[in-house]
Amino acid sequence: MPPASHSSRRRPPRRRYPFWRLIRANFYDFGLLLRDSWVALVSFALLALAGTLYLHYGHPARLGFAAALFETLKLVTLQTGLELPNDLLGEALFFLIPLLGLALIFQSVLNFGRLLLDKGSRREAWQVALAATYRDHVIVCGLGRVGMRVADQLLSSGYAPVVIERDWRSAFVARALSLKVPVVMGDAREPEVLRQAGLARARAIVATINDDLANIEIGLTARALRPGMRVVLRVFGEDLDHNLERGFGANSAFSASALAATTYVAAAMSHEIEYAIPAGGQLLCVARLVVQAGGQLAGAARALEAESGARLLRHHDSFGKHVPGGAARPIGPGDQLLLLGALPALEALRQRNGGSGGAATPRHPTDERDTVIVCGLGKVGYRAVLQLDQLRPRPRIVVVRRDDGRPDFVQRVSRLPGVRIVVGDAREPEVLRQAGIERAYSVAALTSDDLMNLQIGLAARRLRADAHVVLRAFSDALADKLADMFGIRTAYSTSGLASATLAAAAVLGDIAYAFAADEALFSADQISVRAGDALDGRTAGELRDQHDALVIELRRDGQACSLPALDLALAPGDTITLLADIDALERLRALLRRH
């Protein structure tokens, strides 16, 4: 059983709006139509009232009130059998009621009824009506790749998104509508558009537009309309990120490229990595293993953790069924394990398991293959180079860039000691040779062009069949196909890697990192241990057993330690980073607030 693709996740089934939501939306929509058509409707009502009162009080026949109203309506359609009155008022009404009544009916009243019943002809207004029925939802501004993935993550985690998008022709609008996500058309920087999306009732707002200034404007507008509103911003600049968090709160501004770069770096240093997060000065990676019958992983899960230093996040049996209390249950052949650990620990477990690809395939840089070639010096490539430079041990880093990149990135990378830059097209064999493809452990194609990344990967494989290739792909479907093509998990979507953190930060607030796996949204939360609180004196193992929360980093007396021993007791003054799914983390936060 091969490991699942990195970008695979539970696709929400075809959704339907609950009946109660449709009823409420129709009432709201009816009110909007009344507001827009009140002049015509009131005019028609006054005209009908005038005719009714005349026939009831002024006409010689002195009709009853109901009969007078009925004859007035017949008069509108020129069907009345009454004779023309002799008085001036009656003559005027008998001529004006049909003329004005027909005009009001055909131009306004009938149009009101048509619009009320035909939602398809005014879908933008209908989406506003649907959004008016949401409460405690998350407003996602911008329906690009990141915005759509954030909405997907929220749906998969059981939270309701409402989207704001300026361009109704965007390819993602149809997808959002098919998932029954309301899409409010307009500029999210406009207060009225935010009100239409339900800002007053929302849990949070996430600005995911590929424009730092626009996202900041959205956040400022939301805070002006609703002080204290939880705001999550997508930005790029590190300095901008830190400065914004002073005003919007901790962990409120994120760079999609920085969030994704960590996983690209881990994938460039090892094989079959799903996600990576920094902790304790090193990378902790998520990997999936299927226990082989001839391997050495079968047995007690806790013993496996103690020997390897890794942690078991999820355990599924050979039939794909989730095993509760995974760390306390025995592991058998065919079981699928979702593991968290440092790269050496995960590689050791793969070797004990028999390893996919065998021991002949190196799973980390060696003395003979000590180089990582990064192709592309855009936002993602630049971040990846910076993070590779921080690794210890550090690989040899070669950057291949075309002569059209951002000069500030080039200058900063040029100042890094030991980083070599080759100017050229990485699709050309000669350029890859100049970059040292013969000594390369991996080639990371991180340009902003899917086709170019694929061509770079194929060129590297033609020169070195055993080259480890890591690809950036914008499309999730393409990432899956490329993973199948290369036979290893090497293709990642930047939006897919970053969206989980944005979604978790919107749901809970103050979340540093998050990733989606096995239908759960795992989130990292930094917490300070205080004397007498629910964490004081508890061991890391007790936190996991009782609260489903894993201590992935401990800071004590100025020292940081990743994945501390499970029997280590927490003490006041400790700062820990917990990893748990958002539901467990929310419960633990509530418990700490009560102490």
Side-chain angles (χ1 to χ4, degrees), residues 1-4 288-293 297 333-337 353:
M1 177 179 174
R288 195 180 303 271
L289 291 181
V290 177
V291 179
Q292 304 298 316
L297 296 188
D335 289 3
Q336 186 175 123
L337 310 179
N353 193 40

Side-chain angles (χ1 to χ4, degrees), residues 511-560:
I511 292 296
Y513 297 94
F515 62 89
D518 291 349
E519 302 182 6
L521 191 58
F522 291 91
S523 303
D525 188 16
Q526 192 173 85
I527 299 175
S528 297
V529 180
R530 296 173 299 176
D533 70 7
L535 301 179
D536 187 9
R538 295 290 185 91
T539 66
E542 289 173 337
L543 279 180
R544 183 165 77 169
D545 294 340
Q546 298 173 14
H547 301 287
D548 295 322
L550 181 64
V551 180
I552 63 173
E553 181 181 356
L554 170 68
R555 291 185 177 272
R556 175 180 290 177
D557 300 328
Q559 301 294 319

Side-chain angles (χ1 to χ4, degrees), residues 10 24 26 40 102 200 273 285 323 326 344 394 425 451 481 515 530 541-542 573 577:
R10 179 173 65 87
R24 289 181 58 190
N26 272 287
L102 287 174
I273 298 300
C285 302
V323 179
R394 175 186 180 277
D425 190 333
L451 178 58
K481 293 174 183 176
F515 62 89
R530 296 173 299 176
E542 289 173 337
T577 301

Side-chain angles (χ1 to χ4, degrees), residues 48-73 82:
L49 179 62
T52 301
L53 292 176
Y54 172 77
L55 293 177
H56 181 65
Y57 293 109
H59 192 273
R62 299 280 181 169
L63 300 177
F65 194 84
L69 176 60
F70 181 69
E71 285 297 332
T72 300
L73 297 177
L82 297 176

